[in-house]
Amino acid sequence: MTTARDLEYQAQYQRRLRAEARARGKGQLNALVPSELIDRLDRMKSARGLTNRNDALALLLAEYFERGETERNHAVSA
C-alpha cells in the first residue's frame, strides 16, 4: 500500500530530478500524440539501444533540426 509519506517522497524525488535536469540545460516537453507514433518511437528506441523515450525523442529532434532547411520543409509538407 502506498502511503502519503511514500507519495511525498516520490514527489520530492521527481522535483529534484527535474531541477537537476534544468541545471544541466534541459527542459521539459509534454505532448499528447497518436499511439502509433509512440509505438514507432519505442521501436526506434529499441533498435538504437536507447534506454528511454527521452533519449529517443531528443535524438529524433536533433536529427530533424540538423537537416538543412530544404529537407525540413519537404518533410513537413509531405
Side-chain angles (χ1 to χ4, degrees):
M1 182 173 163
T2 303
T3 66
R5 183 178 176 186
D6 294 333
L7 292 173
E8 180 56 30
Y9 174 80
Q10 291 170 2
Q12 288 176 0
Y13 176 74
Q14 289 298 319
R15 282 192 294 272
R16 189 174 76 244
L17 286 180
R18 288 185 181 109
E20 290 170 358
R22 281 191 300 275
R24 291 190 314 271
K26 294 191 175 199
Q28 187 170 341
L29 173 68
N30 295 313
L32 295 171
V33 297
S35 296
E36 170 58 24
L37 294 178
I38 295 171
D39 293 341
R40 291 173 69 180
L41 184 68
D42 286 342
R43 287 194 299 272
M44 184 194 100
K45 175 182 69 86
S46 296
R48 296 191 182 199
L50 301 170
T51 58
N52 56 56
R53 288 178 180 164
N54 291 331
D55 293 343
L57 187 56
L59 179 61
L60 186 66
L61 289 170
E63 288 179 2
Y64 173 80
F65 287 114
E66 286 173 1
R67 292 180 181 185
E69 187 174 339
T70 303
E71 257 187 275
R72 277 198 311 275
N73 288 340
H74 176 72
V76 171
S77 65

